[in-house]
Amino acid sequence: MSLEKFAIIDSTLREGEQFVNAFFTTEQKIRIATLLDAFGVEYIELTTPCASPQSEKDCRAIAGLGLRAKTLTHTRCALEDVKIAVDTGVDGVDVVIGTSSYLRKFSHGKSIVEIIETAQDVIEYLLTQDVEVRFSTEDSLRSNAEDLYQVYEAVDQMGVHRVGVADTVGIGTPRQIYDLVKELRARVKADIEFHGHNDTGCAIANAFAALEAGATHVDTSVLGIGERNGITPLGGLVARVYAVNPALVSKYHLPLLLHLDQAVSRLVNVDIPFNNYITGFAAFTHKAGIHAKAVLNNPSTYEILRPEDFGLSRYIHIGSRLTGWNAIRYRADQLGLKLNNREIKEITEQVKMLADQQQLTLDEVDRLLSMHQATDEEAIAAEVGDPQSVETGEQETL
Ligand code: HCA
Ligand code: CU
């Protein structure tokens, strides 16, 4: 498995620009590219310069920024397109052509033999130009497997640096992706890139399966934005790999994920989903008393991602009927209130009763706690007699 040395090709500025709400000005593109570079992605993929005059200028501008990340642009498999791409000064050109019968019939009309012939001209030219060359087959998952391998083996022999598997319609399952990439790994010497759409929610799992099978590069975009409902999200891929071993993603500046997600969400006018990997507002919140108690004792009980590693903090929700007295005790301590365990338990019962009627805000819970501020005598007893830390003995109800 190539998890130890995988690279991210972030395509927010190519695939992401295909998201229905995306319209990026040059300045905004430069901001995204600079943030991605600071985060540490190895590659930044840019919209083809053939799309429009401004796309060509933007491609040139970003390729000229002198970023640490390599810049790539994306083109059809056509000599005139790749010449324009090379001229922008990018470090690499990502060539793509459809291989499924759908795309061969309804898109470009070429047979597999014709695809290989066109690829030959394009790749031969690119290899004289001191750029990284990637060749990918659009709609790989609905292509005939033998056709695919024939194309990959041919372009591999021509000397491309990377071949790309593209699940263009998000139809693949992790097992299918694994098998396809595993077989490809045995057949080609080039690096292998995976690009997966998220139509059925498998984009992260599929990218991970590709890595397990020997892929070396994964395409992502910030928040997963792209055509339709998008592709593998950058944060989701990072979360998935981190969960195997945080050291595998320590090469990235993880606290910048939140800034990237926030910046892109504002630019494309969508909220960060509540359940987003790492940066969703509920990603590190705990509610049930049993969870809260255990997390307060040791966060690893219910957290596989450490919020601190992403510059974030956890939140224990206490204003609910599911709360427990350890969580209420923790809040009282945070507020510097001296309350003994008997009082904390009484307040917990009150919180549960009130929360049975309506939702409680943190302010309302804080008010209840403050009203019960112990007398001096009780406070002394609390200091001396009752441990302030979370107890492990008595079980919470929920
Ligand atoms: C698209 C093209 C692409 C290309 C992927 C790649 C896809 O349909 O817009 O270059 O590997 O999903 O097939 O994004
Ligand atoms: Cu795509």
Side-chain angles (χ1 to χ4, degrees):
M1 125 144 121
S2 46
L3 275 177
E4 281 73 22
K5 51 178 178 60
F6 79 104
I8 292 177
I9 297 178
D10 188 87
S11 190
T12 308
L13 296 176
R14 195 283 294 173
E15 176 76 50
E17 214 184 1
Q18 296 175 221
F19 175 50
V20 66
N21 273 13
F23 168 79
F24 301 134
T25 64
T26 310
E27 291 67 36
Q28 290 168 345
K29 286 185 186 180
I30 291 175
R31 229 177 82 222
I32 296 172
T34 309
L35 263 176
L36 285 167
D37 191 47
F39 176 78
V41 297
E42 288 83 353
Y43 294 85
I44 294 174
E45 189 180 55
L46 307 165
T47 293
T48 176
C50 307
S52 71
Q54 192 58 46
S55 303
E56 201 257 351
K57 285 186 201 139
D58 291 348
C59 194
R60 225 172 255 288
I62 294 170
L65 286 177
L67 299 177
R68 201 196 38 78
K70 289 186 178 168
T71 52
L72 305 168
T73 191
H74 196 251
T75 69
R76 296 179 305 176
C77 184
L79 203 51
E80 62 275 22
D81 287 23
V82 297
K83 285 185 174 165
I84 297 169
V86 169
D87 193 54
T88 60
V90 287
D91 299 300
V93 179
D94 289 345
V95 178
V96 67
I97 190 160
T99 44
S100 66
S101 58
Y102 288 99
L103 296 180
R104 284 197 281 122
K105 188 156 170 217
F106 299 109
S107 179
H108 54 69
K110 288 192 168 70
S111 68
I112 293 294
V113 172
E114 286 166 332
I115 288 175
I116 293 174
E117 276 167 12
T118 322
Q120 176 93 41
D121 294 343
V122 166
I123 292 166
E124 238 170 44
Y125 167 77
L126 284 174
L127 288 174
T128 63
Q129 296 300 310
D130 193 29
V131 284
E132 272 188 33
V133 184
R134 193 241 30 201
F135 193 93
S136 116
T137 54
E138 191 183 358
D139 208 4
S140 312
L141 270 288
R142 290 190 302 173
S143 302
N144 174 289
E146 283 316 312
D147 287 349
L148 269 187
Y149 295 129
Q150 200 185 328
V151 173
Y152 288 135
E153 283 174 354
V155 298
D156 189 47
Q157 275 157 25
M158 293 172 207
V160 297
H161 302 95
R162 277 196 315 284
V163 290
V165 173
D167 183 11
T168 306
V169 294
I171 199 175
T173 65
R175 194 180 296 193
Q176 285 171 331
I177 304 293
Y178 183 89
D179 291 345
L180 175 60
V181 173
K182 190 84 183 161
E183 177 66 22
L184 185 56
R185 186 61 294 164
R187 289 184 184 233
V188 300
K189 58 183 185 321
D191 282 343
I192 299 175
E193 174 176 338
F194 176 75
H195 175 98
H197 278 260
N198 202 30
D199 299 70
T200 65
C202 289
I204 299 171
N206 286 347
F208 187 73
L211 288 174
E212 286 183 305
T216 49
H217 295 66
V218 171
D219 290 10
T220 64
S221 69
V222 177
L223 291 176
I225 60 168
E227 200 72 53
R228 304 185 308 285
N229 79 331
I231 62 165
T232 308
L234 175 64
L237 180 75
V238 166
R240 179 56 270 168
V241 177
Y242 174 106
V244 174
N245 180 357
L248 297 171
V249 288
S250 59
K251 58 183 173 173
Y252 302 119
H253 190 57
L254 301 179
L256 279 180
L257 262 181
L258 180 66
H259 299 279
L260 274 163
D261 282 359
Q262 283 174 338
V264 170
S265 84
R266 275 196 291 268
L267 290 177
V268 300
N269 206 18
V270 295
D271 289 334
I272 297 176
F274 76 90
N275 57 351
N276 202 41
Y277 324 95
I278 302 165
T279 59
F281 89 85
F284 297 110
T285 61
H286 303 274
K287 182 168 169 185
I290 286 178
H291 286 237
K293 174 184 177 178
V295 162
L296 289 169
N297 273 322
N298 178 350
S300 300
T301 47
Y302 287 103
E303 279 175 1
I304 53 160
L305 312 171
R306 283 161 40 94
E308 311 86 272
D309 288 350
F310 302 90
L312 299 166
S313 46
R314 72 185 55 85
Y315 170 70
I316 311 267
H317 180 63
I318 54 174
S320 91
R321 60 167 68 128
L322 310 184
T323 200
W325 70 277
N326 288 284
I328 300 284
R329 146 74 62 214
Y330 180 73
R331 182 64 185 160
D333 291 350
Q334 272 185 338
L335 296 174
L337 300 173
K338 303 278 183 246
L339 295 167
N340 61 35
N341 283 347
R342 182 182 48 77
E343 286 168 312
I344 292 285
K345 284 178 181 170
E346 273 172 28
I347 297 167
T348 306
E349 289 319 305
Q350 281 179 20
V351 170
K352 281 173 178 282
M353 265 168 49
L354 288 170
D356 259 348
Q357 317 302 320
Q358 66 191 59
Q359 286 206 324
L360 288 182
T361 64
L362 187 57
D363 272 355
E364 287 166 324
V365 179
D366 286 354
R367 225 171 295 136
L368 270 177
L369 282 163
S370 305
M371 273 161 45
H372 280 75
Q373 172 65 25
T375 61
D376 284 350
E377 269 169 36
E378 283 169 330
I380 292 164
E383 281 289 352
V384 177
D386 282 324
Q388 296 286 301
S389 64
V390 175
E391 292 190 346
T392 48
E394 194 179 323
Q395 247 225 301
E396 295 281 6
T397 53
L398 196 94

